[in-house]
Amino acid sequence: MRLFAAVAHQGSLSAAGRQLGLSPASVSRQITALEEQLGARLLNRTSRSMTLTSTGETYLRHAEAILQQIEEMQVEVSQREQQPSGTIRVHSRLLVGTLVLVPNLPRFLQAHPAISVDLSMSNHAIDLAERNIDVDIRIGKLAESALVARRLAQSERVVCAAPSYLAGRPPITVPSDLAAHGCLTYRLSMGRTVWRFADSAGRTTEVPVTGALVTDNGPALHASALAGLGVVLMPDWSVREDIRAGRLVRLLPEYRASHLEFENGVFAVYQRSRHLSARVRVFIDFLVGLFREAERAEES
């Protein structure tokens, strides 16, 4: 396969032979043997030119993909016995970056002293290839793409508020009760803000909500809810500890809640064409471990 690919790219048997240290006659014999093995002609050869047949073009495309996979497999296997090192370029959504990644990043760096992390955070969709990002941590529902995604956690949205906010205010027992409350909302650029609810029978309803704060910053919503400024709709993993500690109270637990989609998650995303280096592999494994720790703590 390597020899055929060299011939195809060099455009001649002699040039491919020089590249690989073989005589033109040896190259010709091996290409002929390959064609006989396949029972198909791969090259159109004359005394003056050489071109790929349509079958040759198909074979070249598949051969190069296989050769790349072999190279990546060899690199990955060899790296498993080496200490991961180098820089990992990471982009993360603000909420998961602020609440989960940053507090735990020292643990990762202490465990892997030869690795450094170049971290950026925003809520904007980014082009991983253009930004040269190794891992992008995303939340919500993933759009279809050519990227590879590893799910780190399921993510349900929960409605909650601080005890200081709820004290002396009307109770919230059904979604429509939110109309009498101040809600801290995430800016989605979709006109009026509504929260969607689904009951145990799957019936959905939309409730318009308003309040003192609208922002595209998840950590700001979290901090404002803890300060007692209103009711908030947050991913369950982001408020799990606060609810357990009594800093926030979960409301409407019998309903599923969301801004848009009910299917959500936290994902580590990387490019399909990029080899998953040892340093990136251990980083993604670390992220998976963080969310598993949180899930086990909730179950215990």
Side-chain angles (χ1 to χ4, degrees):
M1 287 184 187
R2 290 193 178 94
L3 177 60
F4 175 72
V7 170
H9 288 294
Q10 293 295 324
S12 74
L13 302 179
S14 56
R18 287 193 297 272
Q19 181 184 20
L20 299 174
L22 299 172
S23 68
S26 176
V27 174
S28 180
R29 284 195 301 271
Q30 293 190 52
I31 294 298
T32 299
L34 176 62
E35 290 178 321
E36 291 176 351
Q37 179 186 11
L38 295 172
R41 187 158 54 92
L42 303 177
L43 299 172
N44 292 314
R45 285 178 272 184
T46 69
S47 58
R48 294 187 177 184
S49 67
M50 187 204 72
T51 59
L52 293 175
T53 65
S54 60
T55 302
E57 291 175 350
T58 300
Y59 184 82
L60 177 64
R61 184 173 66 254
H62 289 290
E64 289 185 323
I66 292 170
L67 290 170
Q68 181 179 355
Q69 290 175 348
I70 292 173
E71 180 182 353
E72 292 179 352
M73 176 269 293
Q74 291 173 331
V75 171
E76 180 175 349
V77 169
S78 65
Q79 285 183 338
R80 283 183 180 274
E81 303 303 320
Q82 302 172 5
Q83 181 184 31
S85 62
T87 299
I88 306 171
R89 293 174 176 83
V90 180
H91 177 267
S92 175
R93 295 301 189 267
L94 283 168
L95 186 64
V96 67
T98 302
L99 299 185
V100 179
L101 180 56
V102 171
N104 291 287
L105 198 54
R107 289 170 50 194
F108 175 78
L109 295 174
Q110 289 163 7
H112 302 282
I115 294 178
S116 61
V117 173
D118 183 338
L119 174 64
S120 58
M121 293 193 292
S122 75
N123 285 335
H124 304 297
I126 64 165
D127 186 313
L128 273 65
E130 182 180 313
R131 293 275 300 274
N132 194 27
I133 295 295
D134 295 305
V135 182
D136 189 14
I137 305 173
R138 300 181 178 181
I139 61 177
K141 182 179 181 180
L142 289 186
E144 292 294 328
S145 76
L147 299 174
V148 180
R150 183 169 178 184
R151 184 185 292 273
L152 304 177
Q154 280 291 127
S155 180
E156 293 285 342
R157 297 294 193 269
V158 298
V159 180
C160 53
S164 60
Y165 172 83
L166 295 172
R169 286 185 167 87
I172 301 174
T173 57
V174 294
S176 59
D177 290 337
L178 293 169
H181 288 266
C183 296
L184 311 172
T185 57
Y186 190 87
R187 183 183 298 115
L188 293 173
S189 301
M190 297 181 62
R192 68 173 186 167
T193 300
V194 298
W195 290 351
R196 299 185 68 211
F197 293 88
D199 62 19
S200 58
R203 294 183 294 264
T204 62
T205 183
E206 293 186 350
V207 179
V209 291
T210 59
L213 176 66
V214 179
T215 180
D216 61 358
N217 187 297
L221 287 176
H222 180 251
S224 298
L226 290 173
L229 295 183
V231 182
V232 72
L233 178 62
M234 298 288 286
D236 54 1
W237 50 265
S238 68
V239 293
R240 186 177 287 127
E241 288 298 323
D242 298 309
I243 292 173
R244 184 182 295 118
R247 294 186 292 269
L248 293 174
V249 177
R250 182 173 182 180
L251 306 168
L252 305 172
E254 63 274 25
Y255 292 88
R256 298 186 70 194
S258 180
H259 295 104
L260 297 171
E261 303 284 349
F262 288 103
E263 297 299 325
N264 293 287
V266 185
F267 302 88
V269 177
Y270 56 93
Q271 299 176 62
R272 185 178 300 277
S273 60
R274 174 163 295 195
H275 170 63
L276 194 61
S277 65
R279 61 180 177 272
V280 172
R281 188 184 68 252
V282 298
F283 181 72
I284 293 177
D285 288 344
F286 173 74
L287 295 175
V288 171
L290 286 180
F291 283 93
R292 285 180 179 170
E293 287 174 10
E295 290 174 359
R296 285 195 294 266
E298 185 177 28
E299 293 170 357
S300 63

